[in-house]
Amino acid sequence: MSPTITTSSEANGNVSSATARAAAKAATASEHKAAQTGPQPVTLAKALNAAMADAMHADDSVLVFGEDVGMLGGVFRITDGLTKTFGQTRCFDTPLAESGIVGMAVGMAMNGMRPVIEMQFDAFAYPAFEQIVSHVAKMHNRTKGAVKLPMVIRVPYAGGIGGVEHHCDSSEAYYAHTAGLKVFTPATVADGYRMLREAIDSDDPVMFMEPKKLYWSKDQVDLGALRAEHAANVERGTSSEGRAAVARPGTDATLIAYGPSVPTALAAAAAAAEEGRSLEVIDVRSIVPFDDETVCASVRKTGRAVVIAEAHGFASVSSEIVARVQERCFHHLAAPIRRVTGFDVPYPAPKLEHYYLPGVDRILDAVDDLQWED
């Protein structure tokens, strides 16, 4: 089961009646994209852009705003073209005031809009932290369920881009610790589209953590099929929200990762396979709610686990994952669960970043330390 959080959703936790009524409109708005169907090379940046555009086509209450997201299309060009397509009343720039951006989004969400806001960089979001913790996370509970806050706060986060101070950080634990917030972090192009659509549909506030180093990663993705999948889920009132995924099957040990660490875990599993060791990789996808069932099923099968994350190890999401797995899988474990994380220091300068980030060698060293019998 997932940790208890204050939400306003039904059993599947994410599909609003307004979104359901907009399903037919969404299908119609996507017809002009029919020529683009079929697997094509798509970046995560493009998938996120398409998700916002499709949501805006489907529902007039969806709007996008933040610093430089309008005519510039965002620092990472994730909102490129949205102002041209939907006009400056649907996608617009704001002053450099993160607290004001979030505060305005709270008021809009309380009054029937579905704002999608961008924090530009992870460490830029801290001036808005009071708004997020005191208002975004608590409004539904404070009003005994009378007020919903259907809003998405997009946060480009983590490292791997050589960013200078205040431009790279791993802030997910702050939000995961705050009851009342959902916390999503996609690691694949398809999940970027799928999970952002689900976040926008949610009647609860979502911290949408986007691994900035993966923005230009490419997969063969059928956006048309993803649109059809989303429309079908809306019609059925279902989704993949809160579900982890088996990114690579294995039998000897489980690597548990999320967001930017998933490709690193997959690379470590591929390297281990060359040495004759089979590692299963679990992509957590949703930090809150957390999918104990999928994660623990894998650990019970393999008997060994390593949790991988770029964030600091102390008092972190990786700490919580270890605790949850240990509580549920204790009698199945052949060795203590290990972690491979960023070091407990301020995020380093660009030239030192590669020493800080978890890498394949550190992961394989942790796997080797899982008390294997010779």
Side-chain angles (χ1 to χ4, degrees):
M1 297 293 292
S2 299
T4 301
I5 59 174
T6 304
T7 69
S8 61
S9 307
E10 300 299 331
N12 288 304
N14 65 328
V15 179
S16 69
S17 58
T19 303
R21 289 195 301 270
K25 182 178 178 181
T28 301
S30 296
E31 286 179 357
H32 72 280
K33 300 183 178 70
Q36 301 175 16
T37 58
Q40 297 180 13
V42 178
T43 64
L44 177 60
K46 172 61 178 176
L48 295 170
N49 180 278
M52 284 185 282
D54 288 350
M56 294 171 79
H57 277 298
D59 187 345
D60 291 339
S61 70
V62 177
L63 66 162
V64 175
F65 57 93
E67 297 166 7
D68 295 323
V69 304
M71 298 306 296
L72 181 65
V75 170
F76 297 99
R77 303 300 187 266
I78 310 302
T79 57
D80 189 39
L82 296 183
T83 296
K84 181 178 180 180
T85 301
F86 298 98
Q88 294 186 5
T89 60
R90 298 283 306 281
C91 180
F92 55 89
D93 294 326
T94 65
L96 306 183
E98 285 78 12
S99 180
I101 294 169
V102 175
M104 183 166 65
V106 169
M108 289 181 170
M110 289 176 66
N111 287 278
M113 305 301 288
R114 288 183 174 269
V116 180
I117 61 176
E118 181 181 298
M119 289 288 96
Q120 196 169 76
F121 287 95
D122 33 34
F124 288 13
Y126 299 140
F129 195 67
E130 190 276 334
Q131 290 280 351
I132 294 170
V133 171
S134 297
H135 302 294
V136 176
K138 293 182 173 65
M139 187 63 68
H140 184 72
N141 187 68
R142 178 187 298 148
T143 62
K144 297 182 179 181
V147 176
K148 300 177 182 179
L149 280 187
M151 57 183 287
V152 179
I153 302 177
R154 294 180 42 247
V155 183
Y157 87 116
I161 65 166
V164 296
E165 189 178 17
H166 303 311
H167 287 73
C168 285
D169 209 350
S170 294
S171 50
E172 62 268 25
Y174 299 129
Y175 307 119
H177 180 75
T178 304
L181 300 176
K182 294 178 180 177
V183 184
F184 296 173
T185 179
T188 69
V189 174
D191 273 348
Y193 180 92
R194 182 183 291 116
M195 295 172 68
L196 185 52
R197 291 299 306 269
E198 291 171 352
I200 296 171
D201 287 351
S202 176
D203 279 340
D204 302 305
V206 179
M207 300 300 302
F208 198 83
M209 312 296 290
E210 300 172 2
K212 60 173 78 79
K213 74 177 181 182
L214 301 184
Y215 274 147
W216 308 117
S217 61
K218 283 186 179 181
D219 285 335
Q220 289 289 328
V221 171
D222 187 341
L223 287 176
L226 288 173
R227 292 182 179 107
E229 173 191 298
H230 179 78
N233 285 339
V234 169
E235 186 174 354
R236 292 191 300 262
T238 61
S239 80
S240 63
E241 181 184 302
R243 298 293 181 88
V246 179
R248 178 185 176 117
T251 57
D252 295 337
T254 300
L255 305 182
I256 305 168
Y258 59 85
S261 296
V262 173
T264 310
L266 288 169
E274 296 179 1
E275 301 174 357
R277 187 166 284 166
S278 175
L279 303 182
E280 182 151 293
V281 178
I282 300 296
D283 178 357
V284 170
R285 302 176 74 247
S286 171
I287 297 174
V288 181
F290 187 80
D291 184 358
D292 292 298
E293 182 179 356
T294 299
V295 172
C296 291
S298 175
V299 176
R300 292 187 187 111
K301 178 181 70 173
T302 65
R304 293 174 170 85
V306 176
V307 181
I308 305 153
E310 290 190 10
H312 304 152
F314 185 80
S316 63
V317 171
S318 64
S319 303
E320 176 65 19
I321 294 174
V322 170
R324 300 179 76 84
V325 173
Q326 189 272 344
E327 290 169 355
R328 292 160 175 79
C329 305
F330 180 80
H331 295 291
H332 297 266
L333 292 173
I337 304 168
R338 294 294 308 276
R339 286 185 296 160
V340 179
T341 69
F343 300 116
D344 292 325
V345 298
Y347 201 92
K351 290 184 178 180
L352 301 176
E353 187 179 48
H354 64 286
Y355 294 112
Y356 173 86
L357 298 174
V360 169
D361 289 342
R362 285 176 60 194
I363 295 170
L364 294 180
D365 287 346
V367 170
D368 288 341
D369 199 36
L370 291 175
Q371 299 183 6
W372 303 92
E373 295 180 3
D374 295 330

